[in-house]
Amino acid sequence: MDHEFFITLWITFKLASLTTLILLFIGMPFSYLLAYSDFRLKPVVEALVSMPLVLPPSVMGYYILVAYSPRYWFGDMLDRIFNVRLAFSFEGILIASVIFSLPFMIQPLQNGLRALPNQIREASYTLGKSRTVTFFHVLLPNIRPSIITALALTFAHSIGEFGMILMVGGNMPGETRVASVAIYDEIQSLNLDAANKYAMVLFAVSFIILVFIYSINRKHDTWKMI
Amino acid sequence: MENDIIEINVEKELVSAKGRINLHVKATLKQGELFVVFGDSGAGKTTLLRIIAGLTMPDKGYIKMGNRVWLNTESGINLPVQHRNIGFMFQEYALFPNMTVFENIRFAQKKKEKHAAGELIEKFGLSEFSNRKPGKLSGGQMQRVALARALACKPDFLLLDEPLSALDARTRTLLQDEVLKAHDNHLTTTFLVSHDLTEVFRLAQRVLKLENGQISAIGRPEELFIDNHISGKVQITGNVVKIEKFDTFYLLTIVTGMNQILKVTAFQNDVENLHEGDQIIVFSKAFNPIILKV
């Protein structure tokens, strides 16, 4: 029982950490693009990024399952070329989790960048610094609260996802059974003790993360958080 | 020499408080001089500076510095800001909040000259707060840092956007000295935006007068603002702060750029069209002053 408990938690935090890390690499160039470029399809892109905020997780889970299925071109290609089936696997829920938490990484970064006075960026250019150097040495250091917020929110949100992970992952112990799904399972089996343990851990972790965010941002306006 | 010439011909439609203005600046200038761009707010001074810097794209434009074409909208040439070797001083300073004064200046310098940051800091009197971040500096200190930073990369062109407008008279004079020194030492082509006549007279070798988006005049300050056929031995610029009428004459109270107060008598025809707040030049021909050393 205890062994299962820790494995479940391990999968949960592994999923959240990897999601956050992957999204950090995707999110930085993406948020830069959205903060500073203007192109005709921009509202479409921004809407797509924000979809996970409004779409029911079951809808996303459905579409992702369809995409993973070998009867669809994407799943078919993965199966034939890489011999990989994503449904009900850890890699499968990882990809789904990345898509699902996309706005939680991108929006704080994008807003943080947009809140910086434009002249700081221009001043760096006048000093001969390239856009890359400017991004890493001038822009990023000045949006530290936004970066921390983005990391913490993405992590916390990944821990909390239930419906979509259940659909795409299928609640396989040791593979795709994360804490939020395990609680549901244990309640169904009337193991309220076990459910309680999971719930407390998740509550505590989420709470600590939020307190952390608000402490870091105490010097800044917390309403600018997202 | 052909290498010494600056050619500018840029057009941009601006929307300002006065409505739509078509900025059209066409000028041939000599490198190495200190130009003051003079005009009212909204005339397009900042935009012109930004176009020269490469921060704003004009609707149509051609800029050639010596034998390098910086901008040619027709043939699609647009040298990026980073490659124009300019020092730009923004009206709002634009110091990097995450770096100390020292780091701000060192960031500006090219790699081989890191030790020179200390020298520059001493020259501008920034030593006592060189370890502070911009958030902990006063307006005057920030402006000094901004000027030092603009000079730190040893630019070929210096662009200063109303760099001294928010300062008290004493700091203002000190920084004007620094701008003059920097220019004289390296003969850096300098464009300085100002709407303060005293500053124009003090710094400009040549004035570009911008009115409603067009250059209405280019010349030395004396040529632009004073009637040529008058030769005054003493000239003082200042603002009229009080006009008092007495029986047969008027008494004007004037505050000069150095914050000195003068009282001058004037007659009816002098004060026609004169209002409190106007900028004036007082000059006198036959003048026998009494001089006292303090």
Side-chain angles (χ1 to χ4, degrees):
Chain A
M1 173 53 206
D2 258 337
H3 181 66
E4 214 183 280
F5 181 71
F6 285 117
I7 294 225
T8 306
L9 285 181
W10 162 245
I11 295 181
T12 309
F13 291 117
K14 189 167 93 156
L15 180 67
S17 311
L18 285 177
T19 303
T20 308
L21 200 63
I22 293 174
L23 277 178
L24 188 63
F25 281 106
I26 300 179
M28 284 207 290
F30 224 115
S31 56
Y32 182 86
L33 191 78
L34 288 178
Y36 293 129
S37 329
D38 202 16
F39 48 95
R40 214 143 36 105
L41 287 180
K42 195 168 166 193
V44 174
V45 174
E46 287 185 300
L48 282 174
V49 167
S50 306
M51 283 291 261
L53 288 174
V54 294
L55 261 188
S58 40
V59 173
M60 286 201 303
Y62 167 71
Y63 279 121
I64 290 178
L65 264 185
V66 166
Y68 285 173
S69 154
R71 280 194 259 176
Y72 186 70
W73 68 266
F74 180 67
D76 184 38
M77 177 189 82
L78 287 178
D79 191 23
R80 279 194 286 133
I81 302 181
F82 300 104
N83 201 18
V84 156
R85 302 238 176 151
L86 284 178
F88 313 124
S89 71
F90 180 80
E91 291 72 27
I93 59 171
L94 179 58
I95 295 179
S97 178
V98 165
I99 297 175
F100 185 67
S101 293
L102 195 66
F104 291 85
M105 175 62 72
I106 290 187
Q107 285 187 353
L109 289 181
Q110 182 185 347
N111 291 335
L113 287 174
R114 271 220 274 255
L116 281 182
N118 218 18
Q119 299 191 337
I120 293 196
R121 200 164 57 111
E122 292 179 336
S124 184
Y125 293 164
T126 64
L127 295 175
K129 307 297 172 180
S130 67
R131 281 193 279 201
T132 315
V133 169
T134 303
F135 182 66
F136 284 105
H137 290 264
V138 175
L139 299 180
L140 281 190
N142 281 309
I143 57 165
R144 214 165 271 145
S146 299
I147 297 177
I148 293 176
T149 301
L151 289 175
L153 278 184
T154 304
F155 188 84
H157 190 249
S158 306
I159 293 184
E161 174 42 23
F162 169 70
M164 196 183 64
I165 304 285
L166 179 56
M167 281 184 79
V168 174
N171 192 15
M172 323 267 277
E175 177 78 14
T176 62
R177 192 171 194 235
V178 295
S180 50
V181 171
I183 294 181
Y184 179 66
D185 215 31
E186 303 286 13
I187 292 182
Q188 294 263 320
S189 319
L190 296 179
N191 297 336
L192 296 182
D193 240 2
N196 187 45
K197 274 207 275 189
Y198 282 124
M200 280 208 302
V201 170
L202 287 189
F203 182 91
V205 170
S206 310
F207 185 69
I208 290 175
I209 291 180
L210 282 182
V211 170
F212 176 62
I213 299 181
Y214 281 114
S215 317
I216 299 269
N217 286 341
R218 202 153 62 123
K219 287 181 272 175
H220 314 265
D221 300 5
T222 43
W223 61 265
K224 278 191 196 157
M225 198 171 80
I226 298 188
Chain B
M1 242 201 337
E2 217 245 5
N3 280 346
D4 271 1
I5 303 296
I6 301 173
E7 275 179 62
I8 302 181
N9 187 356
V10 294
E11 272 182 65
K12 188 171 174 69
E13 197 180 320
L14 303 176
V15 181
S16 76
K18 301 185 188 158
R20 283 190 195 280
I21 294 185
N22 196 27
L23 177 72
H24 188 174
V25 170
K26 184 161 189 233
T28 305
L29 307 166
K30 204 152 164 268
Q31 286 198 41
E33 292 197 336
L34 200 161
F35 303 96
V36 173
V37 182
F38 179 85
D40 286 332
S41 313
K45 313 190 290 286
T46 299
T47 310
L48 175 61
L49 227 64
R50 287 175 61 92
I51 291 178
I52 297 176
L55 295 172
T56 301
M57 267 295 269
D59 300 328
K60 245 193 326 189
Y62 178 77
I63 300 179
K64 188 163 180 236
M65 297 285 188
N67 51 8
R68 273 189 104 184
V69 175
W70 276 11
L71 177 71
N72 189 341
T73 47
E74 285 198 4
S75 58
I77 300 179
N78 182 10
L79 191 63
V81 198
Q82 289 90 331
H83 297 144
R84 296 192 186 192
N85 200 11
I86 56 172
F88 198 105
M89 194 174 152
F90 293 84
Q91 214 172 340
E92 292 87 5
Y93 326 133
L95 298 181
F96 304 128
N98 60 310
M99 301 184 200
T100 63
V101 167
F102 181 78
E103 289 163 348
N104 259 279
I105 295 192
R106 208 173 70 156
F107 186 73
Q109 291 180 316
K110 294 163 188 147
K111 295 229 164 106
K112 341 166 203 149
E113 300 155 2
K114 295 249 156 94
H115 63 279
E119 288 174 24
L120 209 58
I121 288 185
E122 264 205 58
K123 223 180 2 152
F124 278 77
L126 310 172
S127 314
E128 60 169 281
F129 46 83
S130 65
N131 280 329
R132 276 195 240 163
K133 295 211 175 137
K136 302 242 158 81
L137 300 176
S138 72
Q141 291 168 332
M142 282 201 276
Q143 221 148 44
R144 268 190 278 167
V145 178
L147 185 56
R149 189 182 66 178
L151 292 170
C153 54
K154 298 244 174 76
D156 293 328
F157 302 90
L158 197 55
L159 302 167
L160 311 167
D161 189 357
E162 303 223 35
L164 311 178
S165 50
L167 298 176
D168 60 277
R170 197 179 75 94
T171 320
R172 195 165 189 158
T173 315
L174 280 171
L175 287 197
Q176 282 169 357
D177 287 339
E178 288 304 329
V179 174
L180 279 172
K181 253 192 277 173
H183 173 259
D184 292 341
N185 283 339
H186 304 288
L187 285 186
T188 318
T189 307
T190 306
F191 290 89
L192 188 148
V193 167
S194 177
H195 58 258
D196 182 292
L197 214 52
T198 323
E199 198 159 75
V200 172
F201 271 85
R202 194 145 189 254
L203 297 180
Q205 285 178 307
R206 210 163 292 270
V207 178
L208 301 161
K209 195 165 176 211
L210 259 183
E211 270 176 314
N212 286 326
Q214 316 257 351
I215 293 198
S216 56
I218 300 183
R220 297 213 322 279
E222 307 85 71
E223 293 165 16
L224 257 62
F225 298 109
I226 304 175
D227 266 327
N228 247 337
H229 61 277
I230 295 180
S231 66
K233 296 231 165 51
V234 172
Q235 290 166 6
I236 302 170
T237 44
N239 279 313
V240 177
V241 295
K242 206 147 88 156
I243 305 177
E244 292 166 279
K245 184 175 189 336
F246 291 83
D247 274 331
T248 50
F249 64 94
Y250 290 82
L251 188 65
L252 304 179
T253 309
I254 303 165
V255 178
T256 72
M258 305 293 287
N259 270 354
Q260 291 195 302
I261 304 181
L262 300 176
K263 283 192 193 271
V264 179
T265 53
F267 293 99
Q268 177 72 36
N269 53 333
D270 294 321
V271 301
E272 241 147 60
N273 292 328
L274 194 68
H275 303 104
E276 290 178 2
D278 284 351
Q279 263 189 329
I280 62 169
I281 305 175
V282 176
F283 46 93
S284 175
K285 281 201 278 192
F287 192 40
N288 279 319
I290 302 169
I291 299 171
L292 197 66
K293 181 174 173 180
V294 286

